[in-house]
């Protein structure tokens, strides 16, 4: 169970064919960072793509030779003998376009100007990501994925795969996701964006030239986000009303443990994450809505899909609630697509999709075992 | 595997006999997906199950059966009118709370409904009541204080409910001890399977 894929290294793929994104902007060239685990079979039929969520990247599993503590963000799920079994599947993780972990994004140098893209980097959408991922798949010789898997924003990409490339994906695993964000959800994203946009160090997105980072905005954005990823109960269990010093200090310094935890998480995040990437990722979340051009009719949106689906939600996830997953299931049923839906009892809110949970892992393992057997038959 | 399923659940064979190949099937309270798997392998049905228990969800997925995790009495509202050829409720009717509403839902979602349940009017059950105790048997393996069964009925009772709901019974299969029962089914049958649709 605790086996790791071991030492991994990231690779870089370069694309010279211009990519016209949904906004109409054109990226003449770009690079994508990715990692792979396991072996692509002779028929190239056992590939799985892992799509990351807001703050994720290509380092999904294993660790780096020069830093054994830098373990992939989904190492509990991906590895030999794990639910996404690297002994059966060839697993690809990538950093999305616009990211800040090596793929071309706002903090990358624009070869045309010699300066970071900053504010000039185009707003990219889930559809644009799928397009860039499809080009990466083609480069790796993969015409059809056994499965595309993602949680949260990653689940949106997995669903979009079934809509953009119905012939190129056999199974979609959409975990803790939604067919589109609600107004409340967009509102949370907008407060996070405003924290960044109004930070004096943001400089309209071109802070790189000024030698500063909008740390205050980024950390506020992360603190807010973090609250919404946890459940009320999980926070109460973990922190309650516990005081750091054991007594009230009648000041505005950190007193409650929850404050300490949130500030720590905010600081940690602001130290490595790019503010422009954060803005861009939240916009991709807000814009995702496959039914938008179909009068809001999700049934019609999924008419193009051919994949089989596993939809998973978590009972305490209020940011991407079970009801949102059931909307997806409903549209899949309407189109008579194969779908299974598991509603996992979990305490950890939206973050549950990254946590160990016996039932969640059984469902994932059993489903992917079937996918692996299909490949053999 | 198929033969052992049929031995352990004689109602499965009776249900399968009514389902033409290629039908679409919704199995409410589908357990580990055995029936749907059997129907897929023998009748090539396109099926979905509705199930609440975590262990059964994992088992259905292992059985390569589509399953939706939901309480079957509220979850069926998600399904569209006349969207399945058959809606099956196998050995679960007696444990449902809003039984009348569920029967209406079955004929709303399915062009036909198939329901199997233990016959409370079976002579052995009657005998136990006559002797002063609540019946305990293979079909009713619970004590009165731990039973999930809240709406037990006899065959006559069930047919009365169907008439009351304007549901027309299209077929009935009554069994006892794995054998078919033809004479005096309300007395001699321990399990019944009904096939029905809305009378329009």
């Amino acid at each position: 169970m605790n086996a790791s894929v071991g030492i991994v290294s990231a690779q870089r793929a370069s694309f010279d064919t211009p990519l016209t994104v949904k906004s109409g902007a054109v990226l003449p060239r770009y690079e994508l960072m990715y990692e792979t685990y396991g072996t692509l079979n002779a028929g190239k039929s056992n590939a799985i793509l892992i799509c990351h969520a807001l703050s994720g990247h290509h380092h999904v599993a294993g660790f780096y030779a020069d830093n054994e503590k830098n373990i992939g963000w989904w190492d509990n799920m991906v590895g030999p003998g794990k639910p996404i079994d690297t002994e059966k599947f060839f697993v690809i993780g990538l950093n999305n376009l616009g990211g800040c972990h090596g793929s071309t994004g706002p903090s990358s140098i624009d070869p045309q100007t010699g300066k970071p893209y900053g504010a000039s980097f185009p707003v990219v959408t889930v559809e644009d990501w799928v397009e860039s991922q499809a080009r990466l798949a083609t480069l790796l010789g993969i015409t059809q994925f056994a499965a595309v898997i993602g949680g949260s924003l990653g689940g949106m990409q997995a669903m979009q795969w079934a809509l953009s490339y119905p012939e190129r994906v056999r199974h979609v695993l959409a975990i803790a996701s939604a067919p589109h964000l609600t107004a409340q959800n967009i509102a949370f994203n907008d407060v996070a964006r405003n924290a960044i946009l109004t930070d004096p160090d943001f400089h309209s997105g071109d802070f790189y030239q000024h030698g500063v980072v909008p740390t205050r905005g980024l950390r506020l954005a992360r603190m807010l986000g973090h609250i919404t990823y946890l459940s009320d109960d999980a926070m109460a269990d973990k922190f309650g009303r516990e005081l750091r010093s054991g007594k009230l200090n009648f000041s505005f310094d950190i007193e409650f443990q929850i404050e300490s935890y949130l500030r720590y998480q905010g600081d940690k995040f602001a130290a490595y994450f790019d503010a422009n990437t954060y803005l861009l990722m939240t916009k991709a979340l807000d814009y995702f809505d496959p039914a938008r051009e179909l009068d809001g009719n999700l049934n019609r949106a999924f008419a193009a899909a051919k994949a089989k689906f596993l939809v998973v939600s978590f009972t305490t996830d209020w940011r991407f609630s079970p009801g949102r997953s059931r909307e997806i299931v409903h549209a899949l049923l309407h189109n008579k697509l194969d779908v299974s839906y598991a509603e996992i009892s979990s305490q950890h809110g939206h973050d549950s999709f990254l946590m160990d949970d016996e039932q969640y892992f059984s469902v994932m393992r059993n489903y992917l075992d079937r996918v692996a057997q299909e490949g053999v038959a | 595997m198929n033969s052992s399923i049929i031995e352990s659940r004689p109602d499965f064979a009776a249900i399968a006999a009514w389902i033409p190949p290629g039908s679409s099937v919704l199995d409410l309270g589908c357990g580990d997906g055995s029936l749907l798997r059997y129907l897929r392998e023998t009748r090539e049905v396109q099926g979905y199950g509705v199930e609440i228990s975590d262990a059964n969800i994992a088992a259905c997925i292992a059985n390569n059966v589509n399953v939706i995790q939901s309480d079957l009495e509220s979850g069926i509202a998600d399904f569209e009118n006349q969207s399945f050829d058959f809606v099956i409720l196998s050995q679960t009717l007696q444990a449902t709370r809003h039984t009348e509403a569920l029967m209406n839902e079955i004929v709303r979602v399915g062009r036909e409904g198939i329901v199997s349940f233990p016959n409370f009017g079976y002579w052995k059950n009657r005998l136990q009541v006559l002797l002063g105790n609540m019946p305990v048997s293979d079909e009713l393996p619970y004590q009165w204080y731990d039973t999930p069964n809240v709406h037990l009925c006899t065959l006559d009772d069930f047919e009365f409910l169907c008439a009351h709901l304007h549901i027309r019974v299209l077929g009935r299969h009554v069994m006892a001890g794995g054998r078919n029962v033809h004479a005096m089914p309300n007395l001699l049958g321990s399990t019944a399977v009904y096939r029905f649709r809305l009378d329009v």
Side-chain angles (χ1 to χ4, degrees):
Chain A
M1 275 300 283
N2 296 316
S4 164
V5 294
I7 294 169
V8 298
S9 54
Q11 291 166 274
R12 187 185 298 274
S14 297
F15 299 86
D16 292 326
T17 312
L19 180 71
T20 304
V21 297
K22 200 178 179 187
S23 69
V26 179
L27 270 172
R29 62 188 67 79
Y30 57 93
E31 295 178 328
L32 293 176
M33 292 294 284
Y34 68 99
E35 290 181 8
T36 70
Y37 324 105
T39 310
L40 188 62
N41 64 14
K44 298 185 175 179
S45 63
N46 68 332
I48 286 182
L49 178 69
I50 309 284
C51 301
H52 68 73
L54 203 152
S55 59
H57 43 70
H58 53 279
H59 185 34
V60 176
F63 52 86
Y64 293 135
D66 60 357
N67 183 3
E68 292 196 359
K69 286 183 178 161
N70 189 349
I71 296 167
W73 59 266
W74 220 7
D75 193 73
N76 56 344
M77 186 67 83
V78 180
K82 291 178 180 175
I84 302 174
D85 191 343
T86 51
E87 286 174 338
K88 295 172 181 165
F89 294 108
F90 177 67
V91 181
I92 303 167
L94 88 158
N95 185 211
N96 278 339
L97 200 59
C100 56
H101 292 87
S103 292
T104 302
S107 54
S108 311
I109 301 295
D110 180 351
Q112 286 174 338
T113 64
K115 290 190 287 189
Y117 285 94
S120 72
F121 195 86
V123 171
V124 291
T125 64
V126 168
E127 292 101 304
D128 299 329
W129 282 335
V130 168
E131 186 56 38
S132 65
Q133 290 160 1
R135 290 186 183 187
L136 177 65
T138 303
L139 187 80
L140 297 174
I142 295 154
T143 51
Q144 186 189 59
F145 281 108
V148 179
I149 306 176
S152 188
L153 177 56
M156 291 175 169
Q157 294 160 58
M159 285 186 276
Q160 186 61 44
W161 261 93
L163 308 182
S164 295
Y165 290 103
E167 309 291 344
R168 295 192 71 176
V169 53
R170 292 200 296 279
H171 294 267
V172 166
L173 282 73
I175 304 160
S177 197
H180 59 257
L181 293 194
T182 58
Q184 185 195 49
N185 221 322
I186 293 170
F188 281 124
N189 283 344
D190 193 47
V191 174
R193 280 194 294 270
N194 261 285
I196 294 168
L197 293 168
T198 57
D199 186 323
D201 286 338
F202 183 61
H203 294 286
S204 304
D206 292 319
F207 51 87
Y208 314 99
Q209 285 97 303
H210 295 82
V212 291
V213 174
T215 313
R216 285 164 292 181
L218 197 50
R219 109 192 231 276
L220 276 176
R222 183 59 169 181
M223 286 166 74
L224 174 68
H226 212 90
I227 296 167
T228 70
Y229 305 149
L230 299 176
S231 70
D232 193 11
D233 286 350
M235 262 198 204
D237 276 1
K238 198 167 176 181
F239 307 104
R241 294 182 49 83
E242 201 181 321
L243 293 161
R244 265 211 326 179
S245 65
K247 62 180 176 62
L248 302 178
N249 290 320
F250 303 98
S251 79
F252 298 117
D253 288 338
I254 298 172
E255 289 197 85
F256 291 95
Q257 287 292 8
I258 180 63
E259 297 173 312
S260 167
Y261 172 79
L262 276 181
R263 290 187 202 197
Y264 169 76
Q265 290 293 335
D267 287 339
K268 196 173 77 166
F269 187 73
Y272 75 86
F273 208 82
D274 179 71
N276 282 311
T277 291
Y278 198 91
L279 295 177
L280 193 144
M281 295 281 170
T282 58
K283 266 305 191 195
L285 271 166
D286 292 0
Y287 285 158
F288 180 72
D289 183 4
R292 185 174 181 274
E293 282 152 27
L294 299 165
D295 303 322
N297 188 330
L298 195 63
N299 291 346
R300 283 171 59 200
F302 275 105
K306 291 183 173 165
K308 299 178 179 190
F309 286 74
L310 175 65
V311 178
V312 179
S313 72
F314 300 90
T315 50
T316 53
D317 184 351
W318 54 279
R319 187 104 197 236
F320 290 79
S321 69
R324 307 309 316 285
S325 282
R326 284 197 295 266
E327 288 174 41
I328 299 166
V329 171
H330 193 273
L332 297 171
L333 286 170
H334 176 85
N335 285 292
K336 305 198 182 306
L337 290 161
D338 282 308
V339 53
S340 281
Y341 169 62
E343 200 168 293
I344 310 292
S345 299
S346 166
Q347 286 205 12
H348 303 289
H350 188 51
D351 269 353
S352 299
F353 85 89
L354 296 167
M355 307 276 194
D356 290 330
D357 178 280
E358 196 182 336
Q359 174 66 9
Y360 174 34
F361 276 49
S362 295
V363 164
M364 293 291 285
R365 181 186 303 278
N366 290 359
Y367 192 88
L368 288 163
D369 279 353
R370 299 297 312 181
V371 174
Q373 283 169 35
E374 254 171 37
V376 174
Chain B
M1 168 155 189
N2 286 343
S3 58
S4 67
I5 283 176
I6 291 309
E7 279 165 26
S8 65
R9 290 292 301 270
D11 56 324
F12 281 9
I15 292 169
W18 279 330
I19 296 182
S23 302
S24 60
V25 171
L26 177 65
D27 185 2
L28 301 173
C30 65
D32 65 1
S34 295
L35 175 60
L36 281 170
R37 182 175 172 168
Y38 174 73
L39 291 175
R40 190 188 64 232
E41 288 170 355
T42 60
R43 294 286 188 278
E44 293 172 346
V45 304
Q46 204 214 4
Y48 300 87
V50 173
E51 178 57 50
I52 190 71
S53 114
D54 282 348
N56 280 334
I57 294 294
C60 283
I61 291 171
N63 270 326
N64 204 11
V65 162
N66 292 321
V67 65
I68 310 298
Q69 188 159 23
S70 173
D71 171 64
L72 72 91
E73 292 191 63
S74 56
I76 191 172
D78 275 349
F79 293 93
E80 295 169 6
N81 292 349
Q82 303 289 287
S83 51
F84 287 90
D85 294 324
F86 294 93
V87 175
I88 299 173
L89 186 68
S90 159
Q91 299 295 342
T92 306
L93 183 80
Q94 71 280 3
T96 60
R97 189 151 189 84
H98 305 286
T99 309
E100 186 177 352
L102 184 59
M103 284 294 288
N104 283 325
E105 281 289 88
I106 288 172
V107 289
R108 176 186 68 80
V109 173
R111 281 177 274 276
E112 286 189 21
I114 295 178
V115 164
S116 69
F117 58 90
N119 175 24
F120 201 75
Y122 181 46
W123 69 270
K124 287 186 182 173
N125 297 335
R126 297 189 196 199
L127 185 63
Q128 288 188 56
V129 172
L130 200 65
L131 293 173
N133 297 104
M134 286 298 283
V136 178
S137 65
D138 287 348
E139 284 85 8
L140 299 170
Y142 302 100
Q143 297 294 336
W144 66 271
Y145 48 81
D146 65 7
T147 181
N149 298 331
V150 291
H151 283 143
L152 288 158
C153 67
T154 68
L155 305 197
D156 287 356
D157 291 333
F158 181 76
E159 289 171 26
F160 182 83
L161 174 65
C162 288
H164 171 66
L165 297 175
H166 306 290
I167 286 169
R168 184 199 293 180
V169 173
L170 303 171
R172 182 179 73 179
H173 195 99
V174 185
M175 290 161 287
R179 289 194 311 278
N180 296 334
V181 172
H182 300 289
M184 292 190 288
N186 199 35
L187 185 66
L188 300 180
S190 62
T191 290
V193 193
Y194 280 84
R195 173 184 183 182
F196 54 85
R197 67 171 168 78
L198 197 60
D199 206 352
V200 282

